[in-house]
């Protein structure tokens, strides 16, 4: 087989066969096929697309390029949740204990964040003593006993995707639905999920800015999952503004605790109940979505979701007393209010720019080497559609330095107030099961 023939085939709009896709991915992973040929093929795919069969084959070829996590010793159906990224997305912290409390096994492999705010591990590490350096045997044992555990990323997962994603980044070939969908799905499948719930974000702060593009990506991922034997569904949710109020590591842990108590922000609560219902349903722990939802609502009401969070923190060395005494979480030295300069309605909160403001405070990493400040961040006091009066606080800034003028300017530039009434955005657009 010659790579040049395969590039030509795709360039001319023909379908690549399974063995051809395997040849390309294994050759690229082991270095026998050079970057320039794979770049040409990626560009051909951007223009010609891929059939459903090709997408499933590409996904599985990338899964097989490295280690696959074996979770077969865990009892029950493991449902993983994946979000296509957002700002201040606290859903993982809420959903883990919430669905575990109704019997769904949560075996989460998580990473650290780059940009906006930390990843799930960074957030959890704001709980003193909590650690994710556990071995596989302990991880599996914890999930079987407690229904929930989080482990740090280890092993050599989807090396083909790492190499391809880096190449696509510098060859203007990221923007291809088949390539994005197989990239995301390969990572979920290699991490051992039996079933997958996808939270595909849409709007200004999302990777996909329009509903049409988000729907197309969601459908592509759902089809890949179902074609390779993993029950998969997607929810399309709004990211035209940050989710919830808190953006920052300890602040989001506090927000997750509030949400598990039933006192969280309305949008975060609703999205967690929606995604959680699908997870419970796919895990066969409820016979309908309505039953799944009422189980989750009951777990919040009777305190079992919150108890599960305590068990989980305890079992991985964390100080679970923070759940009842959140003031024990890392606290910033200073707080400042961002005061509205005029009367009106909040029209826009540009999510990624607000996320960048939190990063400037130290809540996120500008580079992989940056050290995160777990205490700092932002808490929104107003969301899109809210009425504001001059002098009202729009945002509370939690900082460990006294001069926050740059952060304030960035927030003023990206929180737009208008005089007309504004209709708040729809939170959940649709669910896609096929
Ligand atoms: N995120 C991924 O993981 N892969 C892509 O290709 C794009 C976004
Ligand atoms: Ca949040």
């Amino acid at each position: 087989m010659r790579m040049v023939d395969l590039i030509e085939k795709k360039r001319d709009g023909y379908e690549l066969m399974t063995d051809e896709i395997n040849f390309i991915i294994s050759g690229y992973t082991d270095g026998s096929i050079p970057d320039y040929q794979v770049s040409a093929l990626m560009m051909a795919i951007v223009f010609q697309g891929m059939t459903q069969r090709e997408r499933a084959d590409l996904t599985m070829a990338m899964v097989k390029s490295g280690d696959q996590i074996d979770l077969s010793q865990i009892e029950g159906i493991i449902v993983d949740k994946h979000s296509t990224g957002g700002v201040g997305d606290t859903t993982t912290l809420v959903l883990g204990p919430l669905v575990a409390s109704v019997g769904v096994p949560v075996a989460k492999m998580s990473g650290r964040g780059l940009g906006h705010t930390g990843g799930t591990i960074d957030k959890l590490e704001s709980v003193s003593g909590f650690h994710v350096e556990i071995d596989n045997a302990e991880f599996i044992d914890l999930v079987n006993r407690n229904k929930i555990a989080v482990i740090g990323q280890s092993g050599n997962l989807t090396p083909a995707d790492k190499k391809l994603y880096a190449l696509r980044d510098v060859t203007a070939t990221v923007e291809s639905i088949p390539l994005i969908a197989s990239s995301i799905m390969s990572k979920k499948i290699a991490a051992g999920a039996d079933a997958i719930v996808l939270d595909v974000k849409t709007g200004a702060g999302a990777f996909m800015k329009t509903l049409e593009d988000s729907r197309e990506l969601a459908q592509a991922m759902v089809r890949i999952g179902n074609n390779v034997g993993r029950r998969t569904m997607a929810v399309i949710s709004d990211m035209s503004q940050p989710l919830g109020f808190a953006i920052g590591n300890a602040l989001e842990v506090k927000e997750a605790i509030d949400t598990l108590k039933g006192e969280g922000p309305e949008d975060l609560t609703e999205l967690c109940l929606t995604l959680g219902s699908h997870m419970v349903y796919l895990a066969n722990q409820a016979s309908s979505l309505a039953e799944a939802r009422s189980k989750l609502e009951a777990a919040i009401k009777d305190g079992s979701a919150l108890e599960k969070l305590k068990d989980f923190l305890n079992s991985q060395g964390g100080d679970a007393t923070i759940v009842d005494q959140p003031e024990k979480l890392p606290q910033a030295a200073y707080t400042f209010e961002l005061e509205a300069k005029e009367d009106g309605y909040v029209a826009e909160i540009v999510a990624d720019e607000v996320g960048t403001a939190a990063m400037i405070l130290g809540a996120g990493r500008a580079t992989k080497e940056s050290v995160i400040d777990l205490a700092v961040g932002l808490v929104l006091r107003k969301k899109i559609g809210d009425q504001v009066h001059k002098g009202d606080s729009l945002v509370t800034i939690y900082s460990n330095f006294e001069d926050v003028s740059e952060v304030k300017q960035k927030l003023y530039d990206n929180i737009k107030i208008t005089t007309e009434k504004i209709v708040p955005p729809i939170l959940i657009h649709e669910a896609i099961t096929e």
Side-chain angles (χ1 to χ4, degrees):
M1 221 177 278
R2 293 195 319 158
M3 183 63 180
V4 63
D5 300 326
L6 303 180
I7 299 170
E8 188 180 307
K9 200 171 170 187
K10 179 49 73 179
R11 181 200 66 194
D12 295 343
Y14 297 102
E15 193 174 348
L16 297 172
M17 295 299 113
T18 306
D19 61 333
E20 292 169 337
I21 290 173
N22 289 338
F23 168 82
I24 294 162
I25 294 304
S26 65
Y28 189 47
T29 310
D30 69 21
S32 58
I33 301 175
D35 280 347
Y36 52 83
Q37 285 190 308
V38 178
S39 311
L41 178 73
M42 291 297 122
M43 192 56 88
I45 291 173
V46 167
F47 287 112
Q48 298 290 5
M50 289 182 117
T51 65
Q52 299 301 333
R53 206 217 81 251
E54 287 178 300
R55 297 171 189 200
D57 284 345
L58 174 61
T59 303
M60 290 314 292
M62 293 200 290
V63 168
K64 288 171 190 154
S65 72
D67 299 340
Q68 293 177 59
I69 308 296
D70 178 7
L71 300 176
S72 57
Q73 297 304 307
I74 294 174
E75 297 139 26
I77 299 170
I78 297 172
V79 190
D80 203 356
K81 185 226 54 158
H82 176 79
S83 160
T84 61
V87 177
D89 187 348
T90 320
T91 52
T92 303
L93 288 178
V94 178
L95 277 170
L98 180 58
V99 303
S101 74
V102 304
V104 178
V106 177
K108 190 99 194 136
M109 179 179 273
S110 246
R112 292 178 195 282
L114 187 61
H116 304 321
T117 55
T120 300
I121 292 185
D122 300 303
K123 293 172 195 177
L124 286 167
E125 280 177 351
S126 55
V127 179
S128 129
F130 188 92
H131 65 97
V132 294
E133 290 79 21
I134 52 179
D135 64 25
N136 276 337
E138 191 182 352
F139 177 59
I140 285 169
D141 184 51
L142 280 176
V143 179
N144 280 334
R145 278 193 291 127
N146 270 344
K147 292 290 172 207
I148 176 167
V150 174
I151 190 170
Q153 249 143 23
S154 66
N156 181 29
L157 253 53
T158 58
D161 173 64
K162 281 199 189 83
K163 216 171 158 183
L164 263 183
Y165 197 6
L167 181 73
R168 287 165 53 215
D169 203 27
V170 294
T171 54
T173 53
V174 170
E175 283 78 3
S176 153
I177 298 267
L179 293 177
I180 298 168
S182 38
S183 166
I184 293 174
M185 291 302 287
S186 70
K187 288 178 276 232
K188 289 286 119 182
I189 291 165
D194 299 315
I196 300 159
V197 170
L198 299 161
D199 176 18
V200 178
K201 306 287 194 189
T202 193
F207 193 59
M208 293 288 164
K209 312 281 180 212
T210 68
L211 185 56
E212 290 67 36
D213 286 349
S214 305
R215 186 183 291 130
E216 203 184 331
L217 178 62
Q219 270 163 351
M221 291 192 289
V222 167
R223 287 193 182 130
I224 289 173
N226 290 330
N227 283 340
V228 304
R230 307 302 202 280
R231 284 176 78 192
T232 304
M233 66 81 55
V235 167
I236 300 181
S237 74
D238 179 63
M239 201 21 93
S240 62
Q241 62 181 335
L243 184 67
F245 302 124
I247 304 158
N249 299 282
L251 295 168
E252 288 183 50
V253 171
K254 166 78 166 62
E255 182 168 71
I257 294 169
D258 291 343
T259 307
L260 289 167
K261 280 183 185 160
E263 297 162 5
E266 212 176 301
D267 58 349
L268 177 62
T269 303
E270 180 53 35
L271 183 59
C272 287
L273 285 171
T274 302
L275 295 170
S277 301
H278 286 285
M279 293 172 79
V280 172
Y281 179 69
L282 285 185
N284 284 345
Q285 298 289 330
S287 53
S288 68
L289 283 174
E291 185 195 340
R293 188 175 170 114
S294 51
K295 280 191 171 186
L296 295 175
E297 285 169 345
I300 291 175
K301 220 171 185 164
D302 68 16
S304 46
L306 202 62
E307 259 334 283
K308 186 53 76 181
L309 173 64
K310 290 182 191 170
D311 290 349
F312 162 54
L313 295 175
N314 254 325
S315 70
Q316 295 194 225
D319 174 12
T321 65
I322 59 105
V323 174
D324 295 317
Q325 294 159 275
E327 64 280 4
K328 286 187 178 171
L329 286 164
Q331 302 287 320
Y334 308 102
T335 60
F336 304 93
E337 303 301 331
L338 185 83
E339 289 177 7
K341 290 176 176 170
E342 67 235 298
D343 291 348
Y345 297 87
V346 178
E348 215 181 313
I349 305 179
V350 183
D352 42 3
E353 294 294 332
V354 171
T356 303
M359 192 183 76
I360 296 169
L361 289 166
R365 290 184 181 82
T367 71
K368 271 188 200 155
E369 285 71 36
S370 318
V371 177
I372 259 182
D373 185 339
L374 297 168
V376 303
L378 306 167
V379 174
L380 304 179
R381 300 298 171 195
K382 302 283 177 190
K383 301 275 294 227
I384 295 179
D386 287 350
Q387 189 172 18
V388 298
H389 297 288
K390 185 170 184 235
D392 283 354
S393 175
L394 298 172
V395 182
T396 305
I397 301 166
Y398 293 79
S399 173
N400 275 327
F401 37 84
E402 257 178 293
D403 178 6
V404 292
S405 47
E406 185 191 354
V407 171
K408 279 193 166 177
Q409 193 52 54
K410 190 152 204 70
L411 291 171
Y412 277 127
D413 289 345
N414 290 288
I415 300 179
K416 315 237 160 79
I417 312 278
T418 55
T419 49
E420 313 100 74
K421 260 195 156 162
I422 295 287
V423 182
I426 293 168
L427 176 65
I428 292 163
H429 291 277
E430 55 198 78
I432 289 173
T433 50
E434 183 43 58

